Amino acid sequence: MKPKKTFFSEQLKKIMFEKHITQRELAKKLGCIQQRISFWTTGRTIPKIESVKKIAMALDMPINYFIEDSGYVASCDKTSLDEKDIKILRLEKEILNLKLQIEKMRNKQTLKIKK
């Protein structure tokens, strides 16, 4: 069975690449085995929300960078997140998306100025 790419796995691979962090290095930071990181990056498994929080901290990223509205927020374990937490996650996700859009616009503007 071929692993399914997930929003989380794609985001994790992307940020690891951008920050030049290997699976081994991330595993060491998280105190787990490299195989677990491999499973996450291939979409073979998805970490629990507690692990996502640790991953976000280890990579110095907001937790919402790894969360898609249709993923964790919709199917989260209600014992780990309450409605207030879910609303906060959604708002933080919107803020992150806006910040990314602003950054893209700034990059485009910089390119136009340099030409």
Side-chain angles (χ1 to χ4, degrees):
M1 185 169 107
K2 186 176 179 181
K4 178 184 170 189
K5 290 183 181 180
T6 64
F7 180 81
F8 174 82
S9 67
E10 293 301 310
Q11 292 296 90
L12 181 58
K13 283 190 289 190
K14 180 179 172 186
I15 197 63
M16 287 175 65
F17 176 78
E18 289 174 4
K19 293 190 177 230
H20 307 287
I21 295 176
T22 65
Q23 290 181 5
R24 177 173 283 146
E25 292 167 335
L26 183 57
K28 188 175 181 178
K29 284 184 175 191
L30 297 174
C32 67
I33 61 173
Q34 183 179 344
Q35 185 178 17
R36 179 169 290 160
I37 308 301
S38 174
F39 283 5
W40 291 341
T41 58
T42 60
R44 193 167 179 185
T45 61
I46 299 173
K48 294 181 180 180
I49 192 71
E50 294 82 17
S51 295
V52 177
K53 289 177 186 177
K54 290 178 184 177
I55 293 163
M57 287 179 64
L59 295 172
D60 194 30
M61 294 296 293
I63 188 172
N64 288 314
Y65 179 82
F66 300 101
I67 298 174
E68 183 179 38
D69 286 337
S70 63
Y72 284 103
V73 174
S75 64
C76 68
D77 178 5
K78 296 300 180 191
T79 61
S80 63
L81 294 176
D82 61 19
E83 287 300 315
K84 183 178 176 182
D85 291 330
I86 293 170
K87 286 179 184 178
I88 290 169
L89 287 172
R90 285 189 176 136
L91 289 172
E92 287 178 353
K93 180 72 174 179
E94 288 178 35
I95 291 167
L96 179 61
N97 285 334
L98 289 171
K99 285 180 179 179
L100 292 173
Q101 288 176 4
I102 290 168
E103 188 62 32
K104 285 180 184 177
M105 291 172 72
R106 283 185 181 150
N107 288 340
K108 287 180 183 178
Q109 191 65 25
T110 303
L111 291 174
K112 289 179 184 176
I113 292 171
K114 287 181 179 178
K115 289 181 180 180

